[in-house]
Each structure stands twice: as structure tokens, then as C-alpha cells.
């Protein structure tokens, strides 16, 4: 454990990719604000970070509640210090074909993946500009390239890419980078849900998908955390506006 040097916020950090990312950023030496829904217990992530010698606080906020989300980010800044690293990881998918998706379900995808990223970026903007340093890492997906039965999710995740590229152009002169991590198949609640929808056991679902992945395995949350760690580092200052597909093979 190195000395704590920066403050990070990770949304959707109670479990899965978010939890792994929060822990990795903490072991890199950052204090971490662990943000997740009020009905999700983020204390385990904080406990893991503290057990590793790091510093973290859990803050409850539904990312679709703009006022609550902004307040959560401001609380992290008030308790831990000016935020230098923002990871917009919170996400969700409705696995439905276009004919069966309601407009509310479509709107949910925009709110969770795009509106939330906009609100958190605004909340950290002034602090990053003032210190002349910032790292914004937004989570997209290989579904941004199009996935049947996920029209809302695919559209929202594609929007994340365009949003991030625009941020990179706008904020680069202020010393702030903005990049996208786009996971492929990662062991998670979301991929487990897809397995159930297809009538498969999760083990079977992983085996089927691994057969089509060049490295012949499915991803783990730690695979995404490693990539995010690099993009959040001082050494990634010349990398911005990029989409890194962490998918066991080429995409895009």
C-alpha cells in the first residue's frame, strides 16, 4: 500500500466490476468514495479496502436521482478531499427486443448510463480544473457495437463513447483525460441474468462464450479493474478519448 495521494469516486461499487475497481484504486494509493444504491450494502467493499490498508467511505445514492447523485459526489469531496478520479461504472440492462421494450425501460437506460455520467462529471469538474488534473473513466460495453435483444443498452453504451470523446476534446487543455473501458463477457450478475433468460446454467453459459473468445476464457471483474487502474494513473496522461475493449479479443 502506497501513501494515499488522490481521491476517487466509483459508482456501482458495492459488488462486481465496481467493487474490484474500487479495491484496485485503493491499493494504488487512492482514497475511494464507494457509491451505490441505497438498497445495496457497500460496506463489504469499504471493509475490503480498509483491510488492505486503504481509506474509503460508502455513500448511498441512486444514480438516476440527479440531486442525490450530485450530493453523494460532493459528500465524498467534503470527507476525503478534491476528487481527481471519476469512474462511472453503475449500469443495468433490460434484455428485451425493441417490440417488447416500454418507453420507460428505454428511458431507464439513458438515465443510468448517460444522465448519471453527465451529473457526476459536472460535480467533479470544477475541482479537477482547479487542480489541473483529472481522470474520467466511463464504462461502456462491447454491446455498444450492437447486440440483439439489447437495443436500449446498446444505444446507451454507444452514447457513453460519444460523450467521452467529446469530454476528452473539451477537457484535455485543463489536464483532464476522459476514456472508455468497454468490457466484453465478464462474470457478473448481468451475465448470470442472461444465462437464465436463455435457459442455461451459468457454468454452461460461460463455457459457450469462452469458446468464441480468442483467449479462451471469460473475463473477471479484476480484468476491468486493471485497465481502469492504468487509465487513472499519472502515466496515462497522454491517453485520452480512447475506447479500450477489455474483451479477450479485438473489437471495434
Amino acid at each position: 500500500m502506497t501513501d494515499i495521494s488522490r481521491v476517487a469516486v466509483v459508482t456501482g461499487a458495492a459488488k462486481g466490476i465496481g467493487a474490484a475497481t474500487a479495491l484496485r484504486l485503493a491499493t494504488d494509493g487512492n482514497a475511494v468514495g464507494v457509491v451505490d444504491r441505497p438498497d445495496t450494502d457497500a460496506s463489504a467493499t469499504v471493509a475490503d479496502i480498509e483491510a488492505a490498508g486503504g481509506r474509503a467511505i460508502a455513500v448511498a445514492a441512486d444514480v438516476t436521482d440527479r440531486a442525490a447523485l450530485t450530493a453523494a459526489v460532493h459528500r465524498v469531496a467534503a470527507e476525503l478531499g478534491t476528487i481527481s478520479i471519476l469512474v462511472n461504472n453503475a449500469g443495468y440492462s433490460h434484455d428485451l427486443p425493441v417490440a417488447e421494450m416500454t418507453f420507460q425501460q428505454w428511458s431507464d437506460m439513458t438515465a443510468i448510463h448517460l444522465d448519471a455520467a453527465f451529473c457526476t462529471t459536472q460535480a467533479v469538474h470544477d475541482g479537477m480544473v482547479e487542480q489541473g488534473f483529472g481522470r474520467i473513466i466511463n464504462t461502456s460495453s462491447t454491446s455498444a457495437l450492437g447486440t440483439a435483444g439489447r437495443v436500449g443498452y446498446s444505444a446507451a453504451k454507444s452514447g457513453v463513447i460519444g460523450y467521452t470523446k467529446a469530454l476528452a476534446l473539451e477537457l484535455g487543455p485543463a489536464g483532464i483525460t476522459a476514456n472508455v473501458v468497454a468490457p466484453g463477457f465478464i462474470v457478473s450478475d448481468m451475465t448470470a441474468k442472461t444465462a437464465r433468460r436463455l435457459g442455461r446454467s451459468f457454468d454452461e453459459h460461460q463455457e459457450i462464450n469462452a469458446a468464441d473468445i480468442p483467449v479462451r476464457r471469460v473475463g473477471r471483474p479484476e480484468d476491468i479493474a486493471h485497465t481502469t487502474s492504468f487509465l487513472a494513473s499519472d502515466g496515462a496522461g497522454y491517453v485520452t478519448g480512447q475506447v479500450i475493449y477489455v474483451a479477450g479479443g479485438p473489437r471495434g
Side-chain angles (χ1 to χ4, degrees):
M1 174 66 64
T2 59
D3 291 337
I4 292 173
S5 57
R6 301 194 190 280
V7 177
V9 167
V10 183
T11 66
K15 56 185 176 180
I17 291 172
T21 298
L23 178 59
R24 176 57 192 266
L25 291 177
T27 58
D28 288 342
N30 305 292
V32 183
V34 177
V35 179
D36 215 312
R37 300 189 316 269
D39 62 344
T40 303
D41 185 4
S43 62
T45 302
V46 172
D48 287 343
I49 289 171
E50 291 177 341
R55 182 181 175 209
I57 61 170
V59 184
D62 185 330
V63 298
T64 65
D65 182 335
R66 287 176 288 178
L69 180 58
T70 300
V73 175
H74 288 163
R75 179 184 161 193
V76 174
E79 295 194 22
L80 297 180
T82 301
I83 295 164
S84 301
I85 300 163
L86 171 64
V87 182
N88 284 304
N89 166 77
Y92 180 77
S93 174
H94 292 299
D95 290 354
L96 292 168
V98 64
E100 297 178 16
M101 177 172 279
T102 66
F103 185 76
Q104 184 59 57
Q105 290 169 326
W106 169 270
S107 297
D108 287 346
M109 294 298 96
T110 301
I112 292 168
H113 300 104
L114 285 172
D115 295 355
F118 170 75
C119 290
T120 55
T121 300
Q122 283 201 325
V124 303
H125 175 273
D126 290 353
M128 287 185 176
V129 170
E130 183 176 350
Q131 64 186 356
F133 179 95
R135 298 286 186 264
I136 299 172
I137 301 108
N138 294 324
T139 304
S140 182
S141 167
T142 54
S143 287
L145 302 171
T147 299
R150 280 187 169 183
V151 291
Y153 185 74
S154 294
K157 288 302 193 183
S158 179
V160 167
I161 292 174
Y163 171 71
T164 306
K165 287 180 176 289
L167 280 183
L169 294 170
E170 180 179 333
L171 302 181
I176 302 166
T177 65
N179 291 287
V180 173
V181 176
F185 189 110
I186 303 295
V187 174
S188 66
D189 289 348
M190 188 179 295
T191 47
K193 183 181 74 171
T194 300
R196 292 192 296 271
R197 177 172 62 83
L198 296 173
R200 300 170 178 165
S201 72
F202 196 27
D203 286 343
E204 178 189 14
H205 190 53
Q206 292 180 62
E207 290 174 5
I208 290 170
N209 279 273
D212 290 331
I213 297 172
V215 300
R216 293 298 187 269
R217 72 171 178 88
V218 297
R220 311 291 301 185
E222 291 74 20
D223 291 310
I224 308 305
H226 294 321
T227 303
T228 300
S229 170
F230 165 68
L231 293 174
S233 70
D234 287 9
Y238 202 53
V239 180
T240 193
Q242 302 305 303
V243 183
I244 301 179
Y245 289 96
V246 185
R251 293 290 190 275

